[in-house]
Amino acid sequence: MKLLITGGAGFIGSNYVHLVLEEHPEDSITVIDKLTYAGNPANLEDVQDRISFVHGDIADADVVNDLVAGVDAVVNFAAESHVDRSLENSDDFIRTNVQGTKTLLKAALDRAGCRYLQVSTDEVYGAVLTGHSRETDALDPRSPYSAAKAGGDLLVRSYFSSYGLDAVITRGANTIGPHQYPEKVVPLFVTNAIDGEPLPIYGDGQAVRDYVYVRDHCEAIDLVLRKGRAGEIYNVGASRELNTIDVSDRVLDLLGKPRTLKRLVTDRPGHDRRYSVDWTKIRELGWTPRHSVDETFDRTVRWYETHQPWWRSIKSGDFAVFYERWYGQRLASARAGE
Ligand code: NAD
Ligand code: DAU
């Protein structure tokens, strides 16, 4: 199969490129990535001779139309992906997550027989205080990030319903592992802890997320790409409900660092209290996460311990400006986390 993988220089996208090269060496891969602050060519360095890489924007119809004209499937990872940044300014979120998705959909429709997979998120359901979100539930996104992702999902649904595009959607839970930009909670906590810096925990630290290892998430996406039914949505979760205090304790314990590094800071505005998906449907398709919660955290922490040049170059660059802007005052007025 000839694949166009968008956002392939980012966290999950680059892990997915590696999975396809290992599991389906007969496939050919073209990556399109805008190389935003979150895109990193180093994530694809070891496979650069085995893929075709295009530095481009999924909202640029000229570039996208040419690329999609030569493939059998589009797997769309490209997105602005960080909730906190969407709270500061959502322009790029709307452009990429909505307009970019629509540009890809139109190109896929014009390419007869092209399958389209939208990599989406459990955040489109909004916070669920009890029970588990099912694929048929109404959407209730509450941040500009998740609202833009929901907009993308609805466009995908409309291209299936209105034009019969062979489209599928995955809605994944919080994913961790190698190559995740250290703005997300786990790599932020791991890298701060390695340096003996405080871990900023929003609010009371009781917000709950379900943590999935990135390889498992990629296997789920790959299964849906190859076996998912057109027009269907598949939740991807692992039923591990950890709050932020649990996450920080796991990270500190794995690194042998003191729990006194925890700080309770001013909450994220609109912070969703809990996400939890029902993933029966993808289990029935044949997927289950292969990594336990302990393996998921252990592998992630060890990767950051052994790949310090990768994240140190990020944290010493533009990220430092964002960190000071977002966390400076929060940490100055923080309370001890225990
Ligand atoms: P990421 O921020 O690490 O990577 C996003 C990639 O997209 C980057 O390489 C970036 O350069 C690229 N990109 C951004 N705008 C682009 C544009 N206009 N054109 C081309 N490329 C562009 O994100 P991630 O965490 O790897 O997430 C990938 C996808 O998975 C996203 O769609 C996200 O919504 C979804 N998702 C993420 C998680 C998670 O926990 N990280 C969970 C569920 C779903
Ligand atoms: O659920 C899937 C989503 O998971 C993806 O769609 C998003 O792209 C991805 O960023 C992630 O969103 P979250 O907002 O859940 O992830 P984040 O790592 O930002 O935060 C996870 C939890 O940790 C959340 O409850 C907020 C909390 N947190 C986060 C940061 C960055 C803190 O307490 N302190 C922090 O500094």
Side-chain angles (χ1 to χ4, degrees):
M1 188 153 53
K2 292 180 183 161
L3 297 179
L4 178 64
I5 300 177
T6 76
F11 165 46
I12 309 178
S14 63
N15 279 279
Y16 183 68
V17 168
H18 284 84
L19 177 148
V20 173
L21 290 172
E22 286 165 29
E23 302 291 327
H24 310 283
E26 70 286 2
D27 286 359
S28 77
I29 296 178
T30 300
V31 167
I32 177 173
D33 199 295
K34 191 176 175 181
L35 298 178
T36 67
Y37 77 91
N40 188 344
N43 295 346
L44 296 173
E45 206 167 28
D46 57 333
V47 294
Q48 61 185 348
D49 297 339
R50 299 180 61 196
I51 63 172
S52 163
F53 182 85
V54 177
H55 181 193
D57 185 341
I58 60 163
D60 181 340
D62 290 340
V63 176
V64 162
N65 291 343
D66 276 357
L67 293 177
V68 176
V71 299
D72 306 309
V74 176
V75 188
N76 182 27
F77 292 90
E80 289 295 333
S81 67
H82 193 38
V83 172
D84 295 333
R85 289 187 195 252
S86 81
L87 292 162
E88 288 193 321
N89 182 345
S90 56
D91 291 351
D92 289 344
F93 290 75
I94 309 300
R95 177 175 163 80
T96 293
N97 303 3
V98 182
Q99 183 65 35
T101 296
K102 184 256 160 194
T103 305
L104 290 169
L105 288 166
K106 172 75 171 65
L109 188 63
D110 290 346
R111 165 77 172 160
C114 187
R115 167 152 272 213
Y116 179 92
L117 187 147
Q118 175 79 350
V119 180
S120 188
T121 166
D122 61 0
E123 297 203 13
V124 296
Y125 298 115
V128 287
L129 301 186
T130 56
H132 313 285
S133 302
R134 301 194 59 189
E135 289 86 351
T136 46
D137 285 356
L139 305 189
D140 183 23
R142 289 160 27 89
S143 72
Y145 160 70
S146 53
K149 289 295 292 185
D153 281 23
L154 293 174
L155 283 166
V156 176
R157 303 280 295 154
S158 79
Y159 268 68
F160 170 75
S161 307
S162 304
Y163 309 116
L165 179 69
D166 178 11
V168 283
I169 297 175
T170 58
R171 290 189 178 144
N174 284 60
T175 303
I176 62 173
H179 295 164
Q180 188 170 29
Y181 194 87
E183 65 192 352
K184 307 292 173 12
V185 74
V186 170
L188 178 69
F189 283 7
V190 173
T191 56
N192 277 15
I194 288 172
D195 282 346
E197 295 289 331
L199 276 47
I201 296 168
Y202 294 154
D204 61 4
Q206 300 299 312
V208 167
R209 300 291 186 267
D210 178 9
Y211 290 87
V212 181
Y213 193 57
V214 65
R215 180 74 184 203
D216 290 329
H217 190 167
C218 289
E219 288 177 0
I221 289 167
D222 199 53
L223 180 68
V224 172
L225 176 71
R226 291 163 205 276
K227 300 264 171 60
R229 279 187 45 212
E232 296 292 321
I233 299 165
Y234 296 87
N235 288 339
V236 181
S239 304
R240 296 139 185 182
E241 301 203 3
L242 301 179
N243 67 37
T244 326
I245 300 277
D246 299 330
V247 168
S248 57
D249 286 344
R250 272 184 178 270
V251 166
L252 292 168
D253 292 354
L254 280 165
L255 288 166
K257 297 287 182 176
R259 291 188 173 191
T260 49
L261 285 175
K262 290 184 288 184
R263 298 284 187 284
L264 295 180
V265 302
T266 302
D267 210 348
R268 165 188 284 176
H271 191 175
D272 282 338
R273 197 67 174 164
R274 175 176 174 266
Y275 302 131
S276 178
V277 292
D278 179 330
W279 47 283
T280 309
K281 191 169 166 182
I282 195 167
R283 187 167 36 214
E284 288 173 356
L285 193 67
W287 176 85
T288 194
R290 289 190 299 107
H291 297 86
S292 68
V293 66
D294 288 345
E295 286 168 334
T296 294
F297 275 82
D298 189 59
R299 280 174 179 250
T300 301
V301 168
R302 300 303 162 220
W303 191 85
Y304 285 89
E305 266 190 316
T306 52
H307 291 78
Q308 297 202 18
W310 184 92
W311 57 264
R312 286 196 186 283
S313 66
I314 294 172
K315 286 188 96 170
S316 61
D318 286 352
F319 180 74
V321 178
F322 168 75
Y323 192 81
E324 176 53 31
R325 193 170 69 233
W326 189 259
Y327 293 102
Q329 189 51 44
R330 280 187 165 82
L331 283 167
S333 55
R335 291 184 293 126
E338 208 173 52

